[in-house]
């Protein structure tokens, strides 16, 4: 991503230097604008609720495993070898299921967050296109992730607050 932006800017610089007419561009923090959207707080609350539900289920499974393990430890001296092996296999299977559930729940949470954030990102992108066209920008840069370490404010305009206001 950074290489793509760098390459884009390197190709654009000679064009900018040779152009006699000045053009404008905007720049913003995409993350800051995204987090300022009213729906972002709703998404975060919903994600926190979903995380809590998965955590509660993981805790219940862990408690169930611990209870069965304690029963196993208490009775292992009295178990016949075949029962001992059966209980060990049950515990092993339960532990593997718990590990698989945790991995799957992490994957599902990431997917749910992406699914919830994507409409907000699309709305933000639409707002950027509209603002860019209205203000006559040649392009709008995202300054997040140190992708654009320097911007000359006499040539470009920080539009973060403009975008945030437009999204409210």
């Amino acid at each position: 991503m950074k290489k793509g932006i760098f390459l884009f800017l390197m190709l654009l610089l000679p064009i900018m230097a040779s152009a006699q007419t000045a053009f404008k561009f905007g720049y913003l923090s995409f993350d800051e604008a995204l987090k300022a959207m009213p729906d972002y707080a709703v998404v975060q609350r919903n994600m926190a609720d979903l995380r809590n539900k998965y955590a509660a289920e993981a805790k219940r499974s862990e408690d169930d495993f611990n209870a069965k393990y304690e029963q196993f430890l208490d009775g292992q001296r009295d178990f016949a070898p075949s029962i001992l092996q059966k209980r060990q296999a049950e515990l092993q299977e339960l532990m593997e299921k718990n590990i698989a559930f945790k991995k799957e729940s992490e994957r599902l949470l990431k997917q749910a967050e992406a699914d919830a954030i994507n409409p907000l990102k699309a709305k933000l992108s639409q707002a950027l296109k509209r603002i860019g066209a209205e203000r006559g920008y040649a392009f709008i840069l995202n300054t997040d992730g140190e992708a654009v370490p320097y911007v000359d404010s006499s040539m470009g305009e920080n539009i973060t607050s403009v975008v945030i206001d437009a999204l409210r």
Side-chain angles (χ1 to χ4, degrees):
M1 173 80 174
K2 288 181 183 180
K3 286 182 180 181
I5 292 172
F6 180 74
L7 181 60
F8 171 75
L9 290 175
M10 291 308 295
L11 293 173
L12 191 62
L13 286 176
I15 295 169
M16 290 172 40
S18 66
Q20 295 299 318
T21 59
F23 66 91
K24 300 186 312 184
F25 66 91
Y27 58 94
L28 82 154
S29 168
F30 195 90
D31 287 341
E32 186 178 335
L34 185 68
K35 290 175 182 175
M37 295 175 76
D39 293 340
Y40 185 81
V42 173
V43 167
Q44 293 305 307
R45 269 194 310 276
N46 292 343
M47 288 306 303
D49 290 345
L50 189 57
R51 277 188 199 92
N52 289 338
K53 288 176 183 176
Y54 278 112
E57 179 59 23
K59 175 78 169 116
R60 187 201 63 76
S61 295
E62 186 177 324
D63 290 346
D64 185 41
F65 174 82
N66 289 339
K68 288 183 180 188
Y69 185 66
E70 286 178 20
Q71 289 175 347
F72 171 79
L73 291 177
D74 289 343
Q76 73 180 350
R77 289 183 209 104
D78 301 329
F79 293 147
S82 62
I83 294 174
L84 183 66
Q85 289 176 345
K86 177 184 175 271
R87 295 271 178 104
Q88 286 174 332
E90 287 174 355
L91 287 171
Q92 180 67 32
E93 181 182 351
L94 192 56
M95 184 170 59
E96 289 170 1
K97 284 182 180 180
N98 287 348
I99 291 170
F101 174 76
K102 285 181 182 180
K103 286 181 182 178
E104 180 66 5
S105 64
E106 288 173 13
R107 187 191 68 77
L108 290 171
L109 282 168
K110 285 180 184 176
Q111 183 62 48
E113 186 169 25
D115 291 345
I117 289 290
N118 283 340
L120 298 181
K121 287 182 176 181
K123 184 177 179 180
L124 178 53
S125 292
Q126 286 301 109
L128 291 175
K129 287 177 185 175
R130 183 176 39 79
I131 290 169
E134 288 172 359
R135 293 180 169 241
Y137 294 140
F139 54 87
I140 297 175
L141 297 172
N142 179 1
T143 59
D144 292 337
E146 299 175 12
V148 183
Y150 171 75
V151 176
D152 186 345
S153 60
S154 68
M155 299 176 121
E157 179 182 6
N158 186 346
I159 61 168
T160 303
S161 60
V162 173
V163 173
I164 290 171
D165 290 342
L167 291 170
R168 288 190 177 165

